Amino acid sequence: MKRRSFLSKSVKTGLAASVISQFPLFNVISRPLKSEKGLGIALVGLGNYSTNQLAPALQETKNCYLAGIVTGKYDKADSWIEKYSIPDKNVFDYTNFDDISENQDIDAVYIVLPNGLHAEYTIRGAEAGKHVICEKPMANNAADCKKMIDACKKAKKKLGIGYRLHYDPYNLEMMRLGQKEVYGKVTEIDAGFGFVLRNQDAWRMDKQLAGGGPLMDVGIYVLQGCIYTLGMLPESLVARDVTKEPDFYDDIEGTLEWELKFKSDVKVSCRTTYEDNYNYLKAQAEKGAFDIGPAYSYNGLKGNTPEGAMDFGNINQQAAQMDAYALHVLEGKELLVPGEMGWRDMFLIDRIYESAKTGKEVSLKGIPKILHKV
Ligand code: NAD
């Protein structure tokens, strides 16, 4: 196969239509690939999410395909090679990861490792000349997010975050109803996402690998949901650690609650936990309430408006998210979920932890200014 051409040229993009950002969008457009399969993606980390969601989704995508894998365990690789017909030369481990630079089938790496490894592998991926999709949360802290963005810019590679809900019709409807004030101004938002995690051996319970507790894992969706329903950035926040069993959740928080404060006087209450099960995003507007619940799942979402139930059916969120990323790389289409959005959310998460420690309200001055506007 001929070496694919990623010759790029700078273009003047200006502000994108639906992502409002203080950052000039990545001023690089790559030429379409010759391969009919589209963008070749290598999954880095073959755990639950790669195995059960991303690899199956890559069988449904139109603009990208599963070109390779990076895994620590070769016995795991065998079943993938067979199931997805992956050539041996497209299989890497964590020791020879950087050799991926020589591989011509793999255009982008998708980092699906524990959170604490996202920064390292994103930076190494970009330095190896690959575009990068990084799972949420983008890193363990905002400072690492900035390093990841800078590394991708320096390498002229495109960085996207695995925020699948920006492509989900129920969440998009929450954005439309809220941002367009379909039922008047939103006066209140109530949102929460949690599940019971009792496995002390899980990396999600290890501060170094997870960066924190449920806030990093699922509370990030709550944060996002409030922001995209309103289409505004918060100005300050106050958080409380209300862990029921602090002796059990000793390395990370068990439960957190926080309030986001906006320029408008909308009241926004959020919570996340590893001690209970809940999953909802509710908005009260001047002329009625609308909500989704489950709100953040892969499928089975349901929603209500003053005019009746939402009924959009299910889509494959991951396939939609990866196809959109592929078009961003191949055709320069605007990306709704760039690295800057992951950075914004880690900026907020850093401050939620700060406030939960001190109990004081913290200012969000300096928040990366990026929004998904519909
Ligand atoms: P997982 O534990 O099932 O998989 C993690 C993988 O990383 C495993 O294959 C493991 O072998 C590998 N790994 C490499 N180095 C490791 C180390 N030092 N310690 C532990 N594991 C190591 O986790 P997962 O649920 O697949 O989550 C992976 C990432 O994907 C996380 O960042 C998570 O937040 C994200 N995720 C996103 C979604 C979503 O809806 N977007 C859903 C699930 C997970």
Side-chain angles (χ1 to χ4, degrees):
M1 187 190 288
K2 280 187 194 161
R3 190 174 177 85
R4 287 173 180 153
S5 169
F6 272 105
L7 292 178
S8 54
K9 57 177 183 176
S10 289
V11 288
K12 284 187 182 165
T13 53
L15 273 187
S18 55
V19 177
I20 307 296
S21 167
Q22 76 191 52
F23 311 100
L25 278 174
F26 217 42
N27 283 350
V28 175
I29 287 190
S30 302
R31 287 190 183 161
L33 298 180
K34 293 189 187 90
S35 165
E36 280 178 10
K37 293 176 181 174
L39 195 77
I41 293 182
L43 294 175
V44 184
L46 307 182
N48 282 325
Y49 194 55
S50 284
T51 305
N52 301 320
Q53 305 302 329
L54 296 176
L58 281 163
Q59 311 312 303
E60 291 185 30
T61 44
K62 295 186 185 68
N63 311 319
C64 52
Y65 73 103
L66 181 59
I69 49 175
V70 181
T71 174
K73 298 184 186 115
Y74 269 102
D75 52 344
K76 213 191 262 181
D78 286 345
S79 62
W80 281 68
I81 290 168
E82 201 180 315
K83 187 165 182 188
Y84 295 113
S85 308
I86 299 169
D88 282 346
K89 69 179 176 60
N90 295 1
V91 179
F92 292 83
D93 64 26
Y94 300 117
T95 60
N96 67 6
F97 176 74
D98 307 283
D99 297 343
I100 213 164
S101 59
E102 301 299 320
N103 187 289
Q104 293 159 26
D105 297 340
I106 297 167
D107 305 305
V109 290
Y110 192 154
I111 313 302
V112 204
L113 292 165
N115 311 338
L117 301 172
H118 289 182
E120 177 189 340
Y121 281 89
T122 294
I123 293 168
R124 283 170 65 183
E127 286 175 350
K130 303 301 172 188
H131 300 283
V132 184
I133 311 176
C134 178
E135 256 315 317
K136 46 56 60 181
M138 183 169 166
N140 274 8
N141 54 62
D144 279 355
C145 296
K146 183 69 173 57
K147 288 183 198 150
M148 294 156 80
I149 290 170
D150 290 348
C152 289
K153 278 199 176 134
K154 190 167 170 217
K156 295 193 163 44
K157 296 293 149 190
K158 301 202 171 186
L159 175 59
I161 306 300
Y163 284 144
R164 59 188 163 78
L165 294 177
H166 288 256
Y167 302 92
D168 166 72
Y170 290 85
N171 282 272
L172 282 164
E173 181 67 352
M174 290 299 284
M175 296 180 205
R176 188 183 74 85
L177 297 178
Q179 292 183 24
K180 304 270 187 215
E181 301 183 354
V182 172
Y183 301 111
K185 275 196 194 324
V186 175
T187 54
E188 210 172 318
I189 294 193
D190 203 1
F193 192 11
F195 68 98
V196 176
L197 181 64
R198 300 290 297 178
N199 177 5
Q200 291 276 19
D201 297 330
W203 65 258
R204 283 179 167 80
M205 299 281 256
D206 175 334
K207 181 96 186 269
Q208 216 178 336
L209 281 175
L215 176 61
M216 298 285 288
D217 196 20
V218 290
I220 190 167
Y221 289 110
V222 174
L223 204 47
Q224 280 234 327
C226 298
I227 292 173
Y228 58 61
T229 300
L230 291 169
M232 287 189 281
L233 292 171
E235 298 198 324
S236 67
L237 62 81
V238 60
R240 289 171 297 277
D241 186 328
V242 289
T243 303
K244 286 185 218 146
E245 283 188 70
D247 290 343
F248 185 81
Y249 299 95
D250 52 353
D251 209 15
I252 54 159
E253 79 278 6
T255 304
L256 273 184
E257 295 175 352
W258 69 97
E259 280 153 42
L260 298 175
K261 308 205 174 175
F262 292 79
K263 198 175 264 163
S264 76
D265 55 7
V266 55
K267 187 173 180 305
V268 178
S269 315
C270 304
R271 59 182 182 144
T272 188
T273 190
Y274 279 158
E275 301 182 280
D276 197 358
N277 296 301
Y278 46 75
N279 182 334
Y280 59 89
L281 174 58
K282 298 178 183 178
Q284 177 67 51
E286 288 162 329
K287 296 182 210 153
F290 50 95
D291 74 283
I292 52 176
Y296 316 103
S297 308
Y298 305 141
N299 48 46
L301 277 70
K302 290 195 169 68
N304 298 294
T305 76
E307 289 163 276
M310 295 180 195
D311 184 14
F312 299 113
N314 286 307
I315 66 150
N316 188 316
Q317 299 166 350
Q318 290 83 1
Q321 168 218 315
M322 289 188 281
D323 266 339
Y325 175 81
L327 287 184
H328 175 60
V329 175
L330 299 174
E331 297 179 8
K333 291 230 163 89
E334 172 200 2
L335 184 63
L336 297 172
V337 290
E340 283 79 4
M341 188 174 277
W343 179 31
R344 177 199 74 188
D345 295 339
M346 277 315 305
F347 177 98
L348 285 163
I349 286 176
D350 283 354
R351 274 151 190 82
I352 290 175
Y353 283 129
E354 181 190 328
S355 173
K357 231 184 247 164
T358 63
K360 291 194 180 133
E361 184 166 333
V362 297
S363 159
L364 298 174
K365 202 159 178 248
I367 184 172
K369 289 190 172 45
I370 181 159
L371 287 168
H372 177 176
K373 289 284 218 179
V374 292

